[in-house]
Amino acid sequence: MTADGDDEDVSRRWLIRALVGLGIGIPIAVEATTFLGLLSSRLGGGDSGTEAPATTTASGTGIGEELLPATAPADTLADAFVQVADDAWRFEATVTVANTTDGPYTLKLGAVTTGSGSRVDGGHSSGRVPPGESRTFTGAWPLPAGETPATLDVTGVRHADGGEETTRTVRLGDVPVRG
Amino acid sequence: MTYVDDYPKAAKLVRWHFGVAFLALALGGAFGLLQALYRTGHFRSLLPINATEYYTVLTGHGVLLALVFTTFFICGLFVWATTSSLDRPLASARLARVGFVSMLVGTVLAAVAILNGFAPGLPFESADVLYTFYAPLKAHPAFYVGAALLVVGSWILGAVYFLTYREWRTDNPDARIPLQTFMVLTTFIMWYLSSIGVAVEVVVFLIPWSLGWIGHVDPLLTRSLFWYFGHPVVYFWLLPGYLAWYTLLPKFAGGRLFSDPLARVVFVLFVLLSTPVGFHHQYLDPGIADGFKFIAMTNTMMLLLPSLLTAFTVVASLEHGARQRGGDGYLSWLRALPWGEPAFAGCALAGLMFAAGGFSGMINAGMNINYLIHNTLWVPGHFHLTVGTAFALTAMAVSYWLVPQLTGKRLRHRRIASVQPYVWFVGMTLMSNAMHRGGLAGLPRRTAEPLFRDTGAAAFDPVFGSIAEIQFQIAAGATLLVVALGMFLLVMLGTWLSRANVAQLSVNGHIPEPLSGPDDSPRVLDNLWLWTGIAVLLVVIAYGLPLWSMVADGLLQPGAAPIPV
């Protein structure tokens, strides 16, 4: 065998050793880390295993729930979804206002903030709802493609009390995305 | 003399099959990367798809890889295995070509229907129904007709294998069936028995439904028919891998198969047990009595037996090969194996990863713990170990050895080929490990927006690590897999396009005799009618009553008369 042949043979042998070392070593390291993580979490009282179920912390106002629970009129989120289009997404929210108070009431839907932090202004209103009546209205906000709504600014106005306003930034629960 | 010299027509037919398989692999793999990056939120703004098109990509990825790549590669491989082990040409090359054309036309129809998701102006409406195509998702009829033609084409190829065997049997009335042919025939017995389910689902229900001839179908019935086929199809992918591990891997290792009889027992067990297991995909479906789900679980767990027998036989064969190469010691013989040979490394690493897939499969099959991971990312994590590696990496490894013999051309880019199985192995480890962990945290599968929004990660509870880290690991693993796929395709393209007969091939098609041959086993193992009859009986026991109960509750609408009126 020539010197070149020897060099090539040695180089090939090292390549194979490196391949086997990395190819087997990386998976063993990944799986060992996983296994130790599981043991530590389940037997060692790891942080994540002792936390309360995360769904409770992530939940926001969902369909069928009130937007302003602290006010007397019932402002119920009747429907909400994101409509997917080619280049832009549109958030639509339908709210039913049941005015159970003695005076007229108006609900306003303001800006939407997406999960990525984009803010989209809005100016939708139920109009003045007389006492004892209900009204349903829908607001729509154009969203950047790929983004979904995280919060919605809501304002309730009680006209009988000198226009007293209750404002809240409502954190939204899971809003379905429709194609 | 190489295979292409001995059987030029059959070699051409295998090349056609492999060519289509590799095209599907390339497109399906590219879809896989798009899908992984989109759903993990990496470079999403740079990707050419939106959330709706994600499902087109997902369907394309599943259909092209799990159905098209696998079926074409398997049918081509079996043409080689049948002709070379029986040492005779196909009984009817023309019929085999009809089968190939049927599969090709079916693939084109289904692929165009799927790709309509990107450009609705194409001839068909979209078919974003995923590769698990059952009601209530509805595709354009072209998709279902294409799927049916793909299956029918494979049936025709199967008939050619049986006809070739019958001719051989006439000339060799007392001989034992050669092992590779035995594996081909038993695999196709299982395939015929199980693919009847999807044929009935598609032809009787989905095609008339998609054409508007019938207004309703029963989702439970079509799901059950799909999964009647949907789990055995896993073994349709796996058994050709077993064929390679039993008959080729010992040769690659420098040795001989440890036991031919054990290999036959394993394939017989797969014929018997592969089909009556589908209900383990429907543990959460109402309308199926728990007892039948329990039978499916029991049968599935019993399928561990042939897999464990395989692990024993293949590892014993590898050890024999390593010792022939000078290896010694309890474990240090492993170092004597030819880890630098891509055909060996690919098959060995695929087998190793399949063992991990078997363990996660036990979780899927368990009636109680399945509920923890049902419809989560755990499930794709599992089947990327099985079909995505046990089959796919074995197919690539076998190609490194077989394509030179099909073309008469030396393998090109050998160094890239040597590295490729390791890149695939590391990529799959990263991706599948993260998918399993994500599944344990409750991350859903089959969705473009698993986190819904950036703050959505708080809804999931990883056992350790964070959702962001899991997502990154999936994206990194998928990227490595596509790099490995590119390396494989480069080697194949380089080999295919090189000039023939410029140098002697470095491989040969000789398969050494097993250490324990067929004469050490009872002849009843070769009684294919017996095993087929028992397999049918087991299917009737597992599926007869539940399917009858669904039909009796209304063939098309639950609560209606059994026969549509």
Side-chain angles (χ1 to χ4, degrees):
Chain A
M1 186 174 279
T2 64
D4 283 351
D6 285 343
D7 286 349
E8 194 174 325
D9 195 39
V10 169
S11 146
R12 182 173 159 75
R13 210 176 307 141
W14 275 106
L15 174 66
I16 293 165
R17 282 181 186 165
L19 283 177
V20 174
L22 286 174
I24 307 284
I26 291 173
I28 288 176
V30 169
E31 294 302 330
T33 308
T34 303
F35 185 61
L36 291 175
L38 285 168
L39 281 183
S40 141
S41 170
R42 295 304 178 201
L43 301 178
D47 290 343
S48 58
T50 55
E51 285 174 359
T55 46
T56 56
T57 61
S59 63
T61 300
I63 294 169
E65 294 181 326
E66 278 204 54
L67 294 171
L68 295 174
T71 63
D75 319 296
T76 308
L77 183 63
D79 193 11
F81 60 89
V82 174
Q83 184 68 46
V84 175
D86 285 342
D87 51 353
W89 292 19
R90 191 175 77 249
F91 170 51
E92 288 189 24
T94 301
V95 180
T96 300
V97 179
N99 185 1
T100 54
T101 64
D102 297 333
Y105 178 75
T106 300
L107 184 78
K108 297 175 182 174
L109 303 180
V112 166
T113 306
T114 70
S116 304
S118 305
R119 183 181 166 85
V120 182
D121 289 332
H124 307 284
S125 168
S126 63
R128 192 178 275 245
V129 182
E133 291 189 13
S134 294
R135 187 169 298 166
T136 298
F137 71 104
T138 298
W141 294 258
L143 301 180
E147 296 190 24
T148 49
T151 64
L152 171 63
D153 292 343
V154 181
T155 303
V157 184
R158 294 183 60 171
H159 300 284
D161 298 327
E164 180 189 328
E165 292 191 355
T166 304
T167 300
R168 182 187 171 211
T169 299
V170 178
R171 197 153 66 82
L172 296 168
D174 290 348
V175 178
V177 177
R178 296 178 185 169
Chain B
M1 293 288 278
T2 58
Y3 183 76
V4 67
D5 300 318
D6 292 336
Y7 303 105
K9 284 184 179 174
K12 192 175 185 182
L13 189 63
V14 181
R15 288 201 302 271
W16 288 352
H17 281 85
F18 281 17
V20 178
F22 296 158
L23 277 176
L25 184 62
L27 188 56
F31 280 178
L33 181 62
L34 276 178
Q35 184 187 325
L37 293 178
Y38 191 92
R39 79 164 268 148
T40 58
H42 291 92
F43 309 111
R44 186 179 281 187
S45 60
L46 301 177
L47 300 177
I49 58 171
N50 59 33
T52 305
E53 289 163 342
Y54 172 88
Y55 297 96
T56 301
V57 169
L58 179 58
T59 306
H61 177 67
V63 170
L64 288 172
L65 294 187
L67 300 178
V68 177
F69 162 59
T70 52
T71 307
F72 273 92
F73 188 87
I74 291 165
C75 288
L77 181 72
F78 280 7
V79 168
W80 165 79
T82 306
T83 50
S84 64
S85 66
L86 295 180
D87 198 15
R88 63 194 305 132
L90 290 175
S92 172
R94 177 177 291 183
L95 194 57
R97 284 196 294 273
V98 169
F100 171 79
V101 169
S102 169
M103 294 202 300
L104 186 62
V105 171
T107 297
V108 170
L109 279 177
V112 171
I114 293 168
L115 294 176
N116 247 92
F118 294 125
L122 287 172
F124 309 132
E125 290 165 22
S126 69
D128 298 342
V129 292
L130 314 188
Y131 90 96
T132 50
F133 46 89
Y134 39 67
L137 293 180
K138 186 180 354 181
H140 187 274
F143 175 83
Y144 297 124
V145 172
L149 285 175
L150 180 65
V151 173
V152 168
S154 73
W155 287 354
I156 294 171
L157 262 302
V160 175
Y161 309 144
F162 277 94
L163 289 173
T164 309
Y165 162 69
R166 194 176 66 172
E167 281 186 355
W168 173 87
R169 176 54 82 198
T170 307
D171 296 340
N172 302 272
D174 298 320
R176 297 298 296 268
I177 306 175
L179 184 58
Q180 285 190 335
T181 299
F182 181 84
M183 292 171 162
V184 169
L185 299 181
T186 45
T187 301
F188 259 83
I189 289 170
M190 184 276 294
W191 179 239
Y192 281 125
L193 184 59
S194 61
S195 52
I196 289 170
V198 76
V200 172
E201 182 209 7
V202 167
V203 174
V204 177
F205 297 103
L206 299 185
I207 290 177
W209 181 50
S210 63
L211 287 168
W213 296 346
I214 55 176
H216 301 87
V217 291
D218 177 357
L220 179 62
L221 181 57
T222 55
R223 273 173 65 85
S224 299
L225 287 169
F226 180 86
W227 286 120
Y228 170 90
F229 146 89
H231 195 76
V233 74
V234 170
Y235 301 112
F236 182 62
W237 305 328
L238 186 63
L239 293 183
Y242 275 28
L243 181 147
W245 298 348
Y246 273 109
T247 64
L248 301 181
L249 186 54
K251 171 192 168 71
F252 298 158
R256 297 156 63 188
L257 172 62
F258 183 70
S259 170
D260 171 299
L262 266 182
R264 286 174 201 259
V265 167
V266 163
F267 274 72
V268 165
L269 285 172
F270 275 113
V271 169
L272 299 182
L273 296 172
S274 289
T275 309
V277 296
F279 283 141
H280 82 234
H281 288 258
Q282 296 177 270
Y283 285 147
L284 293 182
D285 283 18
I288 302 166
D290 279 351
F292 290 103
K293 293 177 180 174
F294 187 84
I295 290 174
M297 177 182 73
T298 310
N299 287 343
T300 311
M301 293 297 181
M302 285 171 71
L303 277 166
L304 289 170
L305 175 63
S307 291
L308 292 172
L309 286 174
T310 300
F312 170 77
T313 313
V314 172
V315 172
S317 306
L318 293 186
E319 182 179 350
H320 173 260
R323 293 191 187 285
Q324 296 300 304
R325 298 167 61 91
D328 57 9
Y330 287 115
L331 288 175
S332 48
W333 56 265
L334 285 165
R335 298 175 61 186
L337 290 169
W339 294 104
E341 291 297 326
F344 172 82
C347 283
L349 293 175
L352 193 60
M353 200 152 260
F354 179 63
F359 290 125
S360 65
M362 281 190 249
I363 309 296
N364 302 345
M367 252 177 109
N368 48 358
I369 45 181
N370 174 285
Y371 300 153
L372 288 174
I373 49 83
H374 201 87
N375 269 341
T376 70
L377 204 51
W378 171 285
V379 180
H382 160 75
F383 63 65
H384 277 86
L385 293 179
T386 52
V387 65
T389 301
F391 174 80
L393 188 53
T394 299
M396 291 186 237
V398 168
S399 301
Y400 290 137
W401 177 79
L402 189 55
V403 167
Q405 298 177 67
L406 297 172
T407 56
K409 301 170 182 178
R410 277 177 75 96
L411 190 72
R412 305 301 298 264
H413 311 302
R414 279 194 62 83
R415 193 154 285 200
I416 292 175
S418 298
V419 175
Q420 188 268 342
Y422 296 93
V423 178
W424 186 277
F425 190 70
V426 172
M428 190 57 83
T429 301
L430 292 174
M431 191 177 84
S432 178
N433 170 281
M435 284 176 156
H436 280 93
R437 290 197 288 128
L440 286 178
L443 274 179
R445 64 184 288 202
R446 294 173 174 142
T447 175
E449 302 281 350
L451 300 186
F452 175 64
R453 58 176 182 247
D454 295 345
T455 54
F460 302 101
D461 186 19
V463 178
F464 80 97
S466 67
I467 292 293
E469 175 256 317
I470 287 174
Q471 297 277 71
F472 174 75
Q473 197 175 312
I474 291 172
T479 305
L480 276 180
L481 285 168
V482 170
V483 169
L485 178 56
M487 294 165 79
F488 168 74
L489 293 171
L490 176 68
V491 174
M492 284 299 110
L493 207 60
T495 304
W496 218 304
L497 297 180
S498 65
R499 285 168 52 204
N501 304 318
V502 291
Q504 193 175 0
L505 299 187
S506 56
V507 293
N508 65 70
H510 172 68
I511 310 290
E513 290 295 313
L515 290 170
S516 170
D519 292 338
D520 296 335
S521 66
R523 295 189 70 90
V524 70
L525 283 175
D526 286 5
N527 188 339
L528 300 178
W529 284 110
L530 174 67
W531 306 123
T532 306
I534 297 175
V536 170
L537 182 66
L538 289 175
V539 166
V540 170
I541 292 171
Y543 270 97
L545 273 178
L547 282 183
W548 170 248
S549 131
M550 289 173 209
V551 171
D553 191 34
L555 189 60
L556 303 179
Q557 286 172 275
I563 298 168
V565 289

